[in-house]
């Protein structure tokens, strides 16, 4: 009887340890993110601390990546977050190894959030290779949108991801097609973000610019007022949008 009780306790402890395993988000810095010099580098000082705060609040471990993304580096990761490079001169394209590893990660149940900014200043799409990943799941990133005003903003739908209509910055973006619409531009109804969800829980969420990923936006931001980097960007909900998105990515 004692042996049975001891064995039962060991099984319970083992199962509790497995169930309590901490979730992990990999924050990618291997593709030219934060390498541009068109603004003072201190402009980005709040971004990583902002994500660390969001993750800590939700019991998620922050893992920083500065090397090639591989099957090995993705082992034990639940969410892969890839912000867009912001300068064509510093972008680092995805390697074939990375494309294969990321696609396999999604198919095995992992979640990927990917952002690709505009062609005119930020990303040479054909060289970057993001579509080689996203098109496998029915989402295609396109050319720049040129007929919307600067600082026009975007808004999410209230859906399985977002508990309300979240207001986020949008100023310079790409066409996006495929997937389930998640948020749209406030001018012209262009897709801001869309997603796919596999039966096994794998998820791909694509955003056709990166302002929300940089946690930009202010409560006092005024839409359609654009003064370059001095703009008080419209879209007060970037942190809430990203927190709800990450929490959804972690659900199975």
């Amino acid at each position: 009887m004692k042996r049975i009780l001891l064995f039962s306790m060991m099984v319970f402890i083992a199962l509790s340890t497995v169930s309590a395993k901490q979730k992990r988000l990999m924050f990618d810095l291997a593709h030219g993110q934060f390498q541009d010099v068109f603004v003072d580098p201190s402009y980005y000082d709040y971004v990583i601390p902002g994500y660390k705060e969001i993750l800590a609040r939700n019991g998620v471990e922050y893992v920083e990546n500065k090397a090639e993304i591989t099957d090995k580096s993705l082992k034990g990761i639940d969410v892969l977050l890839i912000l867009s490079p912001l300068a064509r001169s510093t972008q680092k394209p995805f390697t074939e190894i990375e494309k294969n590893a990321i696609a396999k990660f999604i198919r095995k149940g992992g979640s990927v959030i990917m952002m690709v900014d505009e062609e005119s200043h930020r990303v040479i799409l054909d060289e970057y290779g993001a579509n080689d990943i996203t098109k496998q799941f029915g989402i295609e990133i396109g050319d720049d949108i040129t007929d919307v005003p600067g600082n026009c903003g975007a808004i999410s739908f209230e859906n399985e991801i977002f508990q309300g209509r979240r207001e986020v910055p949008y100023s310079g973006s790409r066409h996006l097609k495929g997937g389930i619409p998640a948020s749209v531009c406030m001018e012209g109804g262009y897709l801001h973000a869309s997603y796919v969800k596999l039966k096994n829980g794998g998820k791909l969420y694509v955003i056709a610019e990166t302002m929300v990923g940089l946690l930009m936006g202010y409560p006092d931001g005024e839409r359609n007022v654009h003064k370059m980097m001095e703009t008080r960007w419209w879209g007060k909900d970037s942190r809430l949008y990203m927190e709800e998105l990450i929490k959804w990515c972690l659900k199975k």
Side-chain angles (χ1 to χ4, degrees):
M1 177 63 74
K2 289 183 178 180
R3 289 183 178 180
I4 293 174
L5 288 173
L6 180 61
F7 177 75
S8 298
M9 290 177 64
M10 292 173 65
V11 170
F12 175 79
I13 292 171
L15 290 174
S16 298
T17 301
V18 171
S19 62
K21 180 183 176 183
Q22 188 175 27
K23 300 291 186 179
R24 305 173 81 213
L25 178 144
M26 178 185 283
F27 191 93
D28 181 55
L29 287 173
H31 295 91
Q33 298 95 333
F34 298 6
Q35 297 298 307
D36 53 283
V37 294
F38 75 96
V39 294
D40 188 311
S42 65
Y43 185 73
Y44 300 121
D45 285 352
Y46 66 91
V47 178
I48 292 176
Y51 278 105
K52 288 181 176 179
E53 180 182 325
I54 288 170
L55 297 179
R57 186 160 56 243
N58 291 279
V60 181
E61 181 183 352
Y62 170 88
V63 178
E64 195 162 278
N65 178 68
K66 294 184 178 181
E68 186 176 46
I69 297 171
T70 64
D71 293 340
K72 183 177 180 180
S73 65
L74 287 171
K75 187 176 182 179
I77 297 297
D78 298 283
V79 181
L80 171 61
L81 175 57
I82 309 174
L83 300 189
S84 177
L86 292 180
R88 293 151 61 108
S89 60
T90 59
Q91 75 172 42
K92 294 182 180 179
F94 292 102
T95 66
E96 291 303 315
I97 289 174
E98 290 180 312
K99 294 172 187 177
N100 292 332
I102 293 169
K104 187 187 300 183
F105 175 70
I106 296 168
R107 291 194 176 98
K108 286 186 173 181
S111 294
V112 173
I113 303 168
M114 179 181 290
M115 305 178 195
V116 181
D117 219 296
E118 61 184 330
E119 185 88 14
S120 57
H121 300 101
R122 317 290 187 221
V123 178
I124 304 173
L125 184 62
D126 287 344
E127 294 181 7
Y128 189 50
N131 267 332
D132 292 339
I133 301 167
T134 65
K135 287 171 72 173
Q136 296 183 51
F137 301 93
I139 296 177
E140 183 174 359
I141 304 158
D143 296 332
D144 289 358
I145 295 170
T146 59
D147 62 346
V148 295
N151 190 28
C152 57
I155 191 163
S156 74
F157 298 109
E158 185 173 345
N159 55 18
E160 64 177 310
I161 305 170
F162 306 107
Q163 297 178 23
R165 292 173 65 81
R166 307 307 182 202
E167 300 175 1
V168 298
Y170 179 113
S171 187
S173 184
R174 293 180 176 273
H175 288 278
L176 187 66
K177 64 181 182 180
I180 301 170
S183 44
V184 295
C185 174
M186 292 285 285
E187 303 282 344
Y190 293 108
L191 267 182
H192 168 259
S194 66
Y195 68 97
V196 293
K197 183 171 64 172
L198 306 185
K199 290 182 178 179
N200 69 347
K203 300 175 179 122
L204 173 63
Y205 194 98
V206 181
I207 306 178
E209 59 100 72
T210 201
M211 295 180 80
V212 65
L214 293 172
L215 308 180
M216 298 171 71
Y218 302 94
D220 62 346
E222 186 177 352
R223 225 168 58 82
N224 296 331
V225 174
H226 192 197
K227 301 176 182 177
M228 297 302 290
M229 302 316 295
E230 296 179 5
T231 300
R232 297 293 290 179
W233 300 103
W234 186 90
K236 60 183 175 57
D237 295 324
S238 286
R239 289 173 185 259
L240 181 57
Y241 182 106
M242 290 307 301
E243 182 164 4
E244 289 185 328
L245 174 55
I246 289 168
K247 289 169 70 174
W248 172 77
C249 284
L250 291 167
K251 291 179 181 177
K252 297 300 180 184

